[in-house]
Amino acid sequence: MTPCRESFVFYRSFYDSIGRLPERAQLALFRAVAEYGLDQVVPDFSGVPQQPFVEAIFAGIRPQLDANYKRFLNGCQGGEFGKMGGAPKGNDNARKDKQPQNNPKTTPNVNVNENVNVNGNVKVTRKPADQELTLPFQDPEFVATWNELRQQPKWRNKTTTALQKSLNQLGKYHCRFAVHLMNNAIAGDYQGVVFDDTMVKYQRWLGITPVSERGVGPGPIPGTPTGRMIATGDNPYKD
């Protein structure tokens, strides 16, 4: 049985994006985010003003809600299945982890985690290997999402070189879009963050018609009833 969720995280970026819409559309989207964040109810925006924009905003918010819901479910299993995903209590493998090292030739484990406070808001736990990495943004949400991505099964054993390459790729985009890419990777269990179609999606996110979709000049935003022309940086639903 799926546990009942009593709360969820609502980010300022959600509020800023939704605030650009008419009040009726805002109400529909606020309700949709709350129902999906709490109960995973997929919304139907039929009849909502500016439906294409509302659906686009929700599509950008949904990966973060999915990632947070996944953390919630993992947390609910913590007492029985191991808080960090380890063996259940009473399992032979769990007991083996607590046995002392009797081999005098074995080098003791000296990897001690260091708690780093970023901008006074987010407490980040970094492993020694992370000290060699250069993050493109010090934004608390970016740092927290990066740490969550590092804990995913396909990312735990990546080399420092591979991790830095992913950070360098993320650094080519706006910080909010980079967070969106990482949340997609978490929700989809991907081993990468940037793919062949990422630049096209980024151009749409910025409000620019992708070159691959242009004719002679700029075109209308796909799906808009007015068919208005796009100007560089004109994005009614970007953070």
Side-chain angles (χ1 to χ4, degrees), residues 27-237:
L27 176 61
L29 196 47
F30 276 126
R31 182 182 295 274
V33 170
E35 291 180 349
Y36 191 81
L38 291 171
D39 300 319
Q40 295 285 281
V41 176
V42 179
D44 180 6
F45 295 113
S46 300
V48 177
Q50 297 193 16
Q51 180 181 345
F53 290 148
V54 173
E55 291 176 343
I57 293 175
F58 184 77
I61 292 174
R62 183 171 180 172
Q64 179 68 66
L65 297 176
D66 286 338
N68 289 349
Y69 194 77
K70 182 178 178 181
R71 295 185 199 117
F72 164 70
L73 293 179
N74 289 340
C76 291
Q77 294 179 340
E80 180 180 355
F81 296 96
K83 293 184 178 180
M84 297 303 291
K89 292 181 179 179
N91 185 281
D92 289 338
N93 290 331
R95 286 193 289 268
K96 289 178 182 178
D97 293 338
K98 298 180 180 180
Q99 293 178 355
Q101 297 179 353
N102 295 322
N103 187 351
K105 296 182 179 179
T106 302
T107 303
N109 186 352
V110 295
N111 290 331
V112 180
N113 289 338
E114 174 186 0
N115 289 328
V116 181
N117 191 290
V118 182
N119 292 340
N121 297 321
V122 179
K123 200 170 204 180
V124 181
T125 300
R126 294 184 176 177
K127 297 179 181 179
D130 286 343
Q131 297 174 4
E132 304 173 13
L133 298 174
T134 301
L135 274 63
F137 309 103
Q138 291 302 318
D139 174 77
E141 187 178 357
F142 179 92
V143 176
T145 308
W146 169 253
N147 283 340
E148 176 68 18
L149 180 63
R150 286 289 315 278
Q151 298 304 315
Q152 302 308 303
K154 293 182 180 178
W155 287 75
R156 290 173 186 166
N157 298 322
K158 284 199 173 192
T159 65
T160 301
T161 300
L163 292 172
Q164 187 62 61
K165 181 178 179 181
S166 295
L167 286 169
N168 293 343
Q169 290 176 324
L170 292 170
K172 297 177 181 179
Y173 303 96
H174 188 284
C175 179
R176 298 273 75 78
F177 187 77
V179 170
H180 169 72
L181 292 178
M182 290 190 291
N183 281 320
N184 276 342
I186 294 171
D189 193 25
Y190 303 145
Q191 61 181 1
V193 288
V194 176
F195 303 96
D196 292 340
D197 61 345
T198 300
M199 183 54 69
V200 171
K201 292 179 179 178
Y202 183 53
Q203 289 174 329
R204 292 199 192 103
W205 187 83
L206 290 173
I208 304 172
T209 304
V211 176
S212 61
E213 298 177 3
R214 294 179 190 171
V216 176
I221 294 178
T224 56
T226 59
R228 65 183 179 81
M229 305 302 284
I230 295 177
T232 301
D234 178 19
N235 185 343
Y237 54 85

